[in-house]
Amino acid sequence: MQYPYRERQKQVMTVIGQGSMEVTPDQFQIQMEVITENESLQSAQQQNAQKMNQVIQSIMQWHIPKENIQTTAYTITPRYDYVEGKQVFRGYEVVNALRVILEDASQAGGVIDQAVANGINHISSLQFTVQNHHVFYQQALSNAIVNAIGNAQTIAETLQLHLHPEPVKIKELVSEGQIHPMALSLAEKSGTTPIVPGQVNITARVEVQFSYE
């Protein structure tokens, strides 16, 4: 009796590949605010504007391009205290937020110190970035694909499967390629503010499907 030949049916495996690049940051962003309070809204605004103008003039002494100094927020908020369960008007709070981008990260400590000396009283975010981020991301993405191919080959060899080298499907997964912003507490600052850039980890991840028999 003869039996018909049955071709091995193709199956699909899905693997994850990851690649990363450690890069020295070459750009530094500071988010800083002047916060003023006064019972008179006009006085609060005037005091705030005076301090912020001083801050901007002091920062420009570092030869930072004007386009790298940008107002990001301006808010006016009435403030209240609660006395014996009753709401008592305290005054107005005016917040003027400024973002400064430094192309020389070594200036960060000095710029912060000078800004604080001229009126900045809150720094909400410090962030190191890489200007040519896309160049390093492309290399990380290439590494991720190579990693995915290696993972698929390892699985196939372990299970003694015949792996087709051409991927069936490739999906780029969203990855975070910058370090998280940091906050600086001015109350703890003493002397020259130390700012250490460290390394930025740029990561790429892919999901790849291969067919096998």
Side-chain angles (χ1 to χ4, degrees), residues 51-78:
K51 289 182 180 180
M52 183 55 81
N53 285 331
Q54 290 177 188
V55 169
I56 293 173
Q57 291 301 317
S58 70
I59 290 174
M60 292 184 68
Q61 293 177 15
W62 290 82
H63 305 291
I64 299 170
K66 289 183 178 180
E67 59 269 22
N68 287 3
I69 303 173
Q70 180 184 11
T71 299
T72 57
Y74 186 86
T75 61
I76 299 173
T77 308

Side-chain angles (χ1 to χ4, degrees), residues 31-174:
Q31 179 84 11
M32 56 181 73
E33 292 92 25
V34 171
I35 303 174
T36 56
E37 287 192 25
N38 198 292
E39 291 184 1
S40 164
L41 176 57
Q42 184 178 10
S43 296
Q45 288 180 293
Q46 289 175 346
Q47 293 169 10
N48 192 286
Q50 181 181 2
K51 289 182 180 180
M52 183 55 81
N53 285 331
Q54 290 177 188
V55 169
I56 293 173
Q57 291 301 317
S58 70
I59 290 174
M60 292 184 68
Q61 293 177 15
W62 290 82
H63 305 291
I64 299 170
K66 289 183 178 180
E67 59 269 22
N68 287 3
I69 303 173
Q70 180 184 11
T71 299
T72 57
Y74 186 86
T75 61
I76 299 173
T77 308
R79 292 299 186 188
Y80 298 89
D81 288 327
Y82 288 88
V83 180
E84 297 179 353
K86 295 182 179 180
Q87 192 179 58
V88 179
F89 178 70
R90 189 178 74 196
Y92 293 94
E93 179 185 81
V94 177
V95 180
N96 194 341
L98 192 71
R99 180 173 62 198
V100 180
I101 300 175
L102 305 178
E103 296 179 359
D104 181 359
S106 66
Q107 295 179 328
V111 170
I112 289 173
D113 288 342
Q114 196 155 348
V116 170
N118 282 275
I120 288 294
N121 51 11
H122 186 254
I123 295 178
S124 57
S125 175
L126 309 176
Q127 186 174 18
F128 291 101
T129 59
V130 178
Q131 295 186 60
N132 295 323
H133 178 271
H134 65 282
V135 174
F136 299 104
Y137 179 77
Q138 294 300 320
Q139 182 59 56
L141 185 60
S142 177
N143 294 342
I145 293 174
V146 171
N147 179 245
I149 293 172
N151 291 341
Q153 290 174 341
T154 298
I155 294 172
E157 290 171 4
T158 302
L159 298 177
Q160 297 182 348
L161 303 172
H162 174 67
L163 183 73
H164 293 266
E166 297 82 9
V168 174
K169 182 180 180 181
I170 302 176
K171 180 181 179 182
E172 183 180 5
L173 304 177
V174 177

